[in-house]
Amino acid sequence: KILKVIDTHDIMTKRYQQYLKLSQSPEFFYTTKRQEQKCLNRADVVIAIQNREERYFRTLTKKKTKVVTIGDCIEKNESKLIDDKSICFIGAANTFNVQGILWFLKEVFPIIQKRMPQVRLYIAGRVCDMLPDSDDYIKCGVVDHIQRVYEKTRIVINPVLQGTGLNIKSIEAIANMKPLVSTSVGVKGLGSELKCFKVADDPERFAEMTVRLLISDEECENLIYNCDRFIDGYNRKNEYEIRKIMKWCAEKHEWHN
């Protein structure tokens, strides 16, 4: 009669395949489909982090198991557009982040540097431990207050090419009102009618969008305005779903008693 809730951050079924595509050994927990199904069906409630994963979990769970989406609730921080030709990437030292930033450094950044020699690239987080020292970028390492990195940079990039779950670094950039250029993988699960980020999977296109945001205050201000509206709506939806599931849990618990 104990109410059981499983809060997920990823689909674990065959997660190892993401690493094999990169010719890497799996470095994260994964399960078979049957194992994940067994796990989820122990719960009264399964919380997915994005709609795509909710739909998948519904194919695994019994009818009595309630499946809902509650994204990553994050505090909004007001930010002013700075007149500086600077870019930042923030990430942990996992395979997907390392692969993504190396792709950016090799395929995209030289194009940007050719068009805008004065550009500066800041890289923060444990991902710095996996990168060689270079005059092409500034490694900030682990910082006590990530907002300080956001405050001194004009735009944020998320060049990840593989990954599952919700990309928290993209949500953080939006919540900090920073113009964002990302691959489609980097903003997976953040579909919205509000255009609060730029998406490009081709190196030339990624570079073009980045340069445009470094040059155009108007385009950046439009993105910042939409970031503000998007994160308000995103947090409201999450809060609504939390309240709804809490009410449902309370009623179910009372019924058991």
Side-chain angles (χ1 to χ4, degrees):
K1 294 184 178 181
I2 296 174
L3 188 81
K4 296 175 288 295
V5 180
I6 295 179
D7 185 11
T8 72
H9 63 79
D10 261 324
I11 293 173
M12 295 298 164
T13 299
K14 297 182 179 180
R15 198 172 190 268
Y16 65 90
Q17 291 179 345
Q18 298 280 341
Y19 294 94
L20 296 184
K21 290 178 183 177
L22 304 175
S23 300
Q24 298 279 344
S25 298
E27 62 180 42
F28 198 79
F29 179 80
Y30 61 88
T31 69
T32 64
K33 181 177 180 180
R34 186 175 180 180
Q35 287 170 328
E36 186 159 35
Q37 184 175 42
K38 181 180 179 181
C39 172
L40 296 178
N41 280 320
R42 293 172 180 153
D44 299 289
V45 181
V46 174
I47 299 175
I49 202 167
Q50 57 168 290
N51 292 330
R52 183 183 65 86
E53 297 188 0
E54 176 186 334
R55 291 192 294 271
Y56 177 72
F57 291 148
R58 286 186 184 279
T59 69
L60 300 183
T61 52
K62 300 173 182 177
K63 289 185 178 179
K64 68 174 185 177
T65 302
K66 194 173 186 66
V67 185
V68 298
T69 295
I70 300 175
D72 187 63
C73 299
I74 190 163
E75 183 180 356
K76 183 173 71 174
N77 293 295
E78 300 295 337
S79 177
K80 293 182 180 179
L81 179 64
I82 65 171
D83 185 19
D84 189 7
K85 304 299 185 281
S86 55
I87 305 167
C88 81
F89 172 72
I90 302 168
N94 63 58
T95 297
F96 301 141
N97 284 338
V98 174
Q99 178 220 23
I101 191 61
L102 289 177
W103 171 79
F104 177 83
L105 291 173
K106 180 182 178 182
E107 304 291 342
V108 182
F109 199 47
I111 303 174
I112 297 172
Q113 288 177 305
K114 187 175 181 180
R115 299 179 186 177
M116 189 172 286
Q118 71 272 37
V119 67
R120 290 201 306 277
L121 172 62
Y122 295 93
I123 303 175
R126 294 275 182 204
V127 71
C128 292
D129 297 339
M130 311 303 291
L131 301 175
D133 293 337
S134 173
D135 293 334
D136 287 334
Y137 48 82
I138 302 162
K139 295 198 296 184
C140 303
V142 177
V143 295
D144 293 331
H145 302 286
I146 203 66
Q147 275 71 34
R148 292 178 183 172
V149 179
Y150 286 124
E151 287 170 1
K152 67 179 182 181
T153 52
R154 181 177 174 95
I155 68 172
V156 175
I157 57 165
N158 188 1
V160 295
L161 305 173
Q162 300 280 347
T164 58
L166 185 69
N167 218 294
I168 304 302
K169 65 176 71 63
S170 291
I171 286 284
E172 285 185 345
I174 295 169
N176 280 277
M177 308 292 119
K178 304 307 293 187
L180 170 68
V181 182
S182 173
T183 58
S184 54
V185 172
V187 291
K188 184 173 54 181
L190 295 180
S192 170
E193 294 180 359
L194 295 173
K195 294 181 179 179
C196 54
F197 45 76
K198 300 287 187 181
V199 181
D201 294 313
D202 172 78
E204 185 71 36
R205 182 70 172 155
F206 201 110
E208 177 189 346
M209 288 184 171
T210 303
V211 170
R212 279 170 55 185
L213 292 179
L214 289 171
I215 294 173
S216 174
D217 287 353
E218 183 179 357
E219 284 205 45
C220 285
E221 294 289 1
N222 287 338
L223 288 181
I224 292 170
Y225 175 74
N226 286 335
C227 282
D228 187 40
R229 296 169 63 201
F230 174 86
I231 207 67
D232 283 345
Y234 181 78
N235 282 336
R236 276 198 305 270
K237 181 179 181 299
N238 287 335
E239 183 180 351
Y240 171 76
E241 293 296 339
I242 291 171
R243 290 182 182 278
K244 190 167 68 171
I245 203 66
M246 291 295 290
K247 180 181 178 183
W248 183 87
C249 289
E251 291 172 350
K252 185 176 179 63
H253 182 66
E254 185 176 314
W255 176 79
H256 274 316
N257 288 338

